[in-house]
């Protein structure tokens, strides 16, 4: 079955190389939405995600004559998205969204045992960093992320101001971003987001 899929991809790529517009249109119509959703699940920015996907398709059409894809078209396209998402994170490292550390288990997929192992390692790393936070900061972060409590609810439970809650969460996210930077640089993005 896999060989049949790769043979179909090879034929499809040949059509693209020959400039057959219907092949490009089919590729676009089949993959635009799933690629956009994959990027949006991570970046949460519609405009940037649309630009990423559009740029990928424009690049494919412009470079169609030299197109050499050794894996399935689907894997190739999703790899292109992951690469562009990674570039967005590198460009905006200081603005790394807090969503990165939320709901990891719901955003991850395990395409293979290595992916599952890397996901577990990521969760352990995040947990380890959170456990090293000062007690009040850790408690506020966990109440926010694990119990899904609002700043106001945390403020009421801990008898502290909402601004103090916000400061603790900001500090926790800063520590997580700083501590995870090296880890994230080599971790495949499909582990985190797809």
């Amino acid at each position: 079955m896999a060989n049949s899929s790769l043979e179909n991809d090879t034929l499809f790529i040949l059509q693209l190389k020959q400039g057959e517009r219907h092949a490009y249109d089919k590729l676009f119509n089949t993959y635009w939405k799933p690629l956009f959703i994959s990027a949006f699940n991570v970046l949460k920015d519609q405009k940037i995600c649309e630009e990423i996907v559009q740029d990928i398709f424009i690049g494919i059409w412009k470079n169609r004559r030299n197109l050499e894809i050794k894996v399935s078209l689907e894997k190739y396209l999703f790899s292109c998205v992951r690469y562009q998402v990674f570039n967005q994170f590198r460009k905006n490292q200081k603005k790394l969204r807090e969503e990165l550390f939320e709901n990891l288990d719901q955003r991850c997929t395990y395409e293979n045992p290595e992916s599952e192992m890397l996901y577990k390692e990521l969760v352990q790393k995040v947990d380890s960093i959170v456990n090293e936070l000062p007690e009040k900061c850790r408690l506020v972060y966990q109440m926010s992320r694990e119990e899904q409590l609002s700043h106001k609810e945390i403020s009421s439970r801990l008898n502290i101001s909402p601004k103090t809650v916000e400061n603790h969460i900001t500090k926790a996210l800063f520590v997580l971003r700083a501590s995870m930077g090296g880890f994230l640089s080599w971790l495949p993005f499909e582990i985190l987001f797809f």
Side-chain angles (χ1 to χ4, degrees):
M1 190 72 146
N3 280 347
S4 174
S5 177
L6 287 176
E7 288 172 11
N8 289 338
D9 285 353
T10 302
L11 179 61
F12 197 69
I13 292 167
L14 181 62
Q15 291 173 338
L16 284 172
K17 284 183 168 191
Q18 294 172 348
E20 295 184 26
R21 183 66 188 207
H22 72 88
Y24 177 80
D25 291 342
K26 183 177 179 183
L27 182 72
F28 183 89
N29 292 331
T30 302
Y31 289 106
W32 193 94
K33 187 174 181 179
L35 295 174
F36 171 81
I37 291 170
S38 292
F40 188 79
N41 282 340
V42 179
L43 297 174
K44 309 290 189 211
D45 186 313
Q46 182 176 345
K47 184 178 179 190
I48 290 174
C49 295
E50 288 173 351
E51 288 174 7
I52 285 172
V53 178
Q54 294 292 74
D55 288 347
I56 289 169
F57 282 107
I58 289 169
I60 286 173
W61 185 251
K62 282 184 176 178
N63 299 306
R64 67 188 177 276
R65 287 181 181 83
N66 301 319
L67 204 57
E68 294 294 330
I69 299 175
K70 305 292 185 195
V71 295
S72 74
L73 271 171
E74 182 175 31
K75 284 186 179 192
Y76 174 80
L77 291 168
F78 279 96
S79 293
C80 290
V81 168
R82 283 193 297 273
Y83 178 77
Q84 292 303 324
V85 166
F86 179 70
N87 278 342
Q88 284 298 316
F89 275 109
R90 284 201 346 218
K91 285 182 199 173
N92 301 306
Q93 198 166 25
K94 291 182 181 175
K95 297 178 188 176
L96 192 60
R97 294 176 179 267
E98 61 187 66
E99 290 94 346
L100 175 62
F101 304 107
E102 294 178 354
N103 304 320
L104 288 174
D105 57 334
Q106 294 171 10
R107 292 193 330 237
C108 294
T109 59
Y110 309 128
E111 293 179 9
N112 55 51
E114 180 186 350
S115 296
E116 184 173 2
M117 181 189 76
L118 289 172
Y119 162 72
K120 287 178 179 176
E121 190 175 338
L122 172 65
V123 170
Q124 287 175 342
K125 179 80 171 158
V126 170
D127 289 345
S128 171
I129 294 166
V130 169
N131 288 332
E132 294 295 318
L133 293 170
E135 183 179 353
K136 190 75 93 169
C137 184
R138 177 179 44 79
L139 184 59
V140 168
Y141 179 83
Q142 289 172 330
M143 291 173 84
S144 170
R145 299 307 186 253
E146 294 170 15
E147 297 180 43
Q148 303 293 310
L149 298 178
S150 69
H151 290 193
K152 188 175 180 180
E153 291 169 320
I154 297 169
S155 169
S156 176
R157 276 198 191 178
L158 298 178
N159 199 24
I160 57 177
S161 74
K163 184 67 176 166
T164 302
V165 170
E166 184 179 328
N167 290 341
H168 281 305
I169 291 173
T170 299
K171 178 179 180 177
L173 291 172
F174 175 80
V175 170
L176 277 165
R177 283 192 293 266
S179 300
M180 295 294 288
F183 187 82
L184 293 176
S185 67
W186 62 265
L187 190 65
F189 261 58
E190 67 268 15
I191 304 303
L192 289 173
F193 310 113
F194 303 98

